[in-house]
Every structure is written in structure tokens, then in C-alpha cells.
Amino acid sequence: MRQWLKVTVVGGLIALAAFGVFVWASPPKSQIVEYKSGDDTVRAYLVLPDSPGPHPGIVVIHEFWGLNDWVKEQAQKLAAQGYVALAIDLYRGAVATDPGDASELMRSLPHDRSTRDLEAAYDYLAARPEVDKNRIGSIGWCMGGGYSLQLAMHEPKLTACVVNYGSMPTDPADIAKIQAPILGNFGADDKGITPVAVHNFETAMKAAGKSVDLKIYDGAGHAFENPNNTAGYRPEAAADAWDRIVAFFAKTLKP
Amino acid sequence: MKRARRAANLACVYFFCGALSLVAAPPKTETVEYASGSETVRGFLALPAAPGRHAAILIVHGDSGLTAWIQEQAQRFAAQGYVALAVDLYRGEVAANDEEAHELSRGLPDDRALRDVKAAFTYLTARQDVSSSRIGAIGWQTGGWFALQLAIHEPRLAACAVSDTALPTDSADLASIRAQVLGNFGADQRGITPSQIEAFEDALRARGIQVDVKIYSGAAGDFENPADKVHYRPEAAADAWIRAFSFFSKNLGK
């Protein structure tokens, strides 16, 4: 009897542990979805939280590399926080691993088509039954950070916008169009998006009465949040930036 | 084969003429300043030796910025009789390597760049030595996009030559283009697809705009730039230059 009990308890514990590991390890549900952007049919990587909705939604916008595994992982991390995350694919299937190729893809990208893609992604999320259409945000890194701000300019109903080392609008008329609160993370050593540009954007946003929270990380350059950027990855700054992102979305998108 | 040889000969003649005029009277160059929005920006100006009113060319640099090669393009156009203004979208920054070029192009605010090319156009129209109805633009990579944006936003632009660049797709934008368009693309570059180029050509032709696109096999992006040791293709580059030169002389009334 005692032996039997022991087997049951141990067995039960093992089963429980295995289930726990399974739940802990099981990634949020992801799928490739299709929708229209102008006349084109585009694809995106959608990740849903485990619980039933409605949830806030987040448009996730890739770096100049394209929709690679790292960006998909960010979408999964956001879904694990309770958001429906839609990682869009501005390059229509192309992904670069070499900086030269990435640069070529970036400079071949028609900006007007990208703007259409962003609005289409917003509309797609807003129409999904699991999404609360009044609580949709956006996040982007590098090139995608610039586009995250473009979405804020073009979609007044966007509720939160995160830019990580992306280019910022300078035209007061464009800044006036931004309604979403903005969170930004930048590297002090970024040659393209300089601290001066960040300060100018902050000043212009504040002068226009907009909500803006920008942080510049010393000792960090462009793309410091991405571990694949082996020379430029700054784990501590990256962890801090992620905490800021989680807190910002919780404040702006959660009920 | 004969055609190829003739083209090569022609290229030699053009180069010889170009070289000769550079040797004979190097164009005057200077850094000029003008307003772009609330800022003062600088451009690199090259002037023809001859007096009078000239056609003008606005030069928009690629991802690396206003490099020595871009300045050289301005001088080449000036040697051919154009007032040539090379804008500096990066405000003094020039990339020392590919990585910096990527950072600078990623960091460029779209709205500021458009303001800058429009300001450069206005600056040219106000110059006494420029015939304001005969202004063209040329741009490579990122600069090609903004040269085309200028064509969209400035109906007085008469001619626009672009290389290795993204092409606008918005039908309202395409309908605003009045300038004749020349395009040179490397067949092996990854981003711009033949169907995108075709859609662009069709949209312009449907509105009676002349558009002349050439795709160079064996070339990728940046093939015209000798400073790009990997991608430079001298023959294709020479051909692209001849095409640009004839395009401007035809459309700017030289």
C-alpha cells in the first residue's frame, strides 16, 4: 500500500512537472495570415495569446533584415504578455542575412507601399474578433521603428507607439498628426539616428503637447537590442529597453 | 558585336571629351548655403565655364552621402554645360564604410529629405545663371527615391534620372509626375523586381510620360560607383553615364 502510494505520488509529481514544462515551453499559437493591402495580398506572422479575448493588438515591424526569426520571437514575447501580435512583412517574403543584401532590400522598398501595408495591418488587427479595436499599438526596430512612427502619423486611432532606433519625423505638420503616446529607445553611439535628432524630436513633440518618453542608452549604438548584432548587442540596455516596452504597453493598451 | 564596338567607341569619345573639358577648364566648384524649412543647409555646386543661363541638374547622393564620387558627378555635368548642385541630405556626414552607409540611410527622416530636395530646386530656380524651365534631377539608391519624390512634388522638374532605387507605387503620386524619366538598374540586385519596374513604366506611359529603363545583366546595385569595389561594373557604368548624358541633353534642351 505504502509502495503504491509512493509510486502514485512520485508518478503524479513527474506528470505534473512534465505538464508544467509543457505549458511553460509551449509557445503561443502562431500562424501565417493573409489580407489585402491595396491591390496586393500580403502575408504576416500572427501570434495569439492562450487566453480568450478580446485582447489589445500590436503591429510588429521588422528591421532592415526583414521578417526574420528574431522579429517573430519578439511577436511571441508580446503574445505571451497578452497581446495579439501581428508581425508584418514589408519585403514580401525576402529575408537578408548579409548587411549588403539587407541594405539593398531596404532601399528598394517603396515607402508609399509600406505605408499602405502598415494601414492594412492595422485594419486587419482591428477586424479580428480576438482584438479590441480601440486598443491597438505598434512597435518597430531600426527601419521598422521609423515605420512605427509613420503608422502613428497615418492612423490617429493608434493607441501606443514604440520606436527603437528608428528615424523620426521632423515636419511640425507630421508631428501634429501623431495622437498615440510614444516610447523610444535609442543608442547614444548611433551614427544615423543621433542623440541630437532624438532631442529635436522630443522637443518638437513636447512643444506640440504630445506624450513622449525617449531614452538614450550610453555605450550603445544602433540595433543594441538584437543579440544577432554580435558586436553591438548590449544585454543590459536591451533588458532595460524591454522592461520599458512591457510597462509602456501595459499602461497604454491594457484596460 | 558591331553595335557593342560602336557603343564602346562612342563611350571613349564621350570620355575623351569629358576628360578634355575637365583638363581644359575645370568647372568652378563651391559650397553654397540655402534655407530648407527653418534650417540652413549646404550643397556642392559646380558651374560651367561659359557665361549665360544654363540648364541645371540637381544631384541626389546614394546611401553613402555626398562623397567624392558624387562631387565628381557634379563636375562632370558642369563640364557638359550644366549648373550642377549636389545636395547633402546627411548634413555633412559621409559614410566611411557600408555599415555607416546603412546607418545613415536608415536614420534619414523622409520628410526632411523631401524638404531638402524641394529647397534645392527652389535655390536653383532663383539663380541668375539657371534657366528655371530646364532643371533635371539625378539620384542613386536612396537619392533616386528622393529625385522621384521631387518629380512627384515639383511639376516644373523637366527630367529625372534614377539608378538602383525603389519606385513609387501610389497611383496619385505617379499621376503627379510631369518629368520624363530615365532608369538604370542592375539585373542582379535583390530588391527591385522586374514586375515593379514594369508597373512603374506602365503607369507613366499610360499618362504620356516618356520612360526609358535599362536593366544591366551581370550588375547588381551600385554598379556605377567606382568606390564600390565589389559592385562597380565599368562598362555598364560608362553606358549608364552616356544614357544619362543623352537623356538630359535631349530633355533639357541642350
Side-chain angles (χ1 to χ4, degrees), chain B residues 88-169:
Chain B
D88 181 5
L89 302 179
Y90 292 162
R91 309 281 159 84
E93 296 277 351
V94 176
N97 52 47
D98 281 356
E99 200 179 323
E100 284 185 12
H102 307 159
E103 276 193 26
L104 287 166
S105 69
R106 278 187 300 234
L108 183 66
D110 272 10
D111 58 353
R112 192 186 80 185
L114 176 58
R115 217 160 43 230
D116 281 3
V117 289
K118 284 159 88 175
F121 184 89
T122 305
Y123 169 81
L124 280 175
T125 58
R127 281 189 67 95
Q128 292 301 315
D129 49 4
V130 170
S131 164
S132 64
S133 62
R134 295 190 292 141
I135 301 178
I138 186 169
W140 297 262
Q141 305 176 329
T142 307
W145 174 262
F146 289 107
L148 285 166
Q149 290 297 309
L150 181 64
I152 290 166
H153 289 91
E154 178 46 75
R156 290 174 296 167
L157 188 75
C160 183
V162 296
S163 287
D164 186 22
T165 183
L167 298 166
T169 65

Side-chain angles (χ1 to χ4, degrees), chain B:
Chain B
M1 199 57 209
K2 249 184 195 165
R3 265 179 71 188
R5 200 171 303 141
R6 205 179 312 142
N9 286 339
L10 198 63
C12 289
V13 170
Y14 277 126
F15 267 114
F16 184 68
C17 293
L20 196 68
S21 53
L22 275 174
V23 171
K28 274 183 290 177
T29 64
E30 56 180 304
T31 299
V32 292
E33 289 193 343
Y34 47 91
S36 171
S38 57
E39 296 172 286
T40 299
V41 295
R42 294 169 149 210
F44 177 84
L45 185 78
L47 296 171
R53 277 185 181 261
H54 307 281
I57 296 180
L58 198 162
I59 299 167
V60 197
H61 59 75
D63 292 9
S64 294
L66 180 47
T67 58
W69 181 67
I70 293 292
Q71 296 185 2
E72 199 183 296
Q73 304 314 298
Q75 288 168 285
R76 282 169 100 178
F77 280 119
Q80 301 290 348
Y82 298 94
V83 171
L85 175 67
V87 300
D88 181 5
L89 302 179
Y90 292 162
R91 309 281 159 84
E93 296 277 351
V94 176
N97 52 47
D98 281 356
E99 200 179 323
E100 284 185 12
H102 307 159
E103 276 193 26
L104 287 166
S105 69
R106 278 187 300 234
L108 183 66
D110 272 10
D111 58 353
R112 192 186 80 185
L114 176 58
R115 217 160 43 230
D116 281 3
V117 289
K118 284 159 88 175
F121 184 89
T122 305
Y123 169 81
L124 280 175
T125 58
R127 281 189 67 95
Q128 292 301 315
D129 49 4
V130 170
S131 164
S132 64
S133 62
R134 295 190 292 141
I135 301 178
I138 186 169
W140 297 262
Q141 305 176 329
T142 307
W145 174 262
F146 289 107
L148 285 166
Q149 290 297 309
L150 181 64
I152 290 166
H153 289 91
E154 178 46 75
R156 290 174 296 167
L157 188 75
C160 183
V162 296
S163 287
D164 186 22
T165 183
L167 298 166
T169 65
D170 184 85
S171 48
D173 282 354
L174 288 165
S176 309
I177 295 179
R178 297 285 174 273
Q180 309 300 311
V181 175
L182 180 85
N184 294 316
F185 295 89
D188 300 340
Q189 58 77 33
R190 285 195 54 185
I192 305 142
T193 61
S195 68
Q196 284 175 346
I197 294 174
E198 212 169 292
F200 175 75
E201 288 179 288
D202 290 348
L204 291 187
R205 286 202 184 116
R207 309 189 66 88
I209 303 286
Q210 281 179 35
V211 48
D212 174 6
V213 173
K214 181 162 178 178
I215 297 173
Y216 292 86
S217 54
D222 212 20
F223 69 87
E224 294 170 52
N225 183 359
D228 187 332
K229 303 279 181 246
V230 180
H231 298 108
Y232 181 51
R233 297 288 177 275
E235 283 176 30
D239 185 80
W241 166 253
I242 291 170
R243 272 166 56 77
F245 173 66
S246 349
F247 170 75
F248 284 124
S249 58
K250 187 175 118 199
N251 289 296
L252 299 180
K254 292 290 294 181

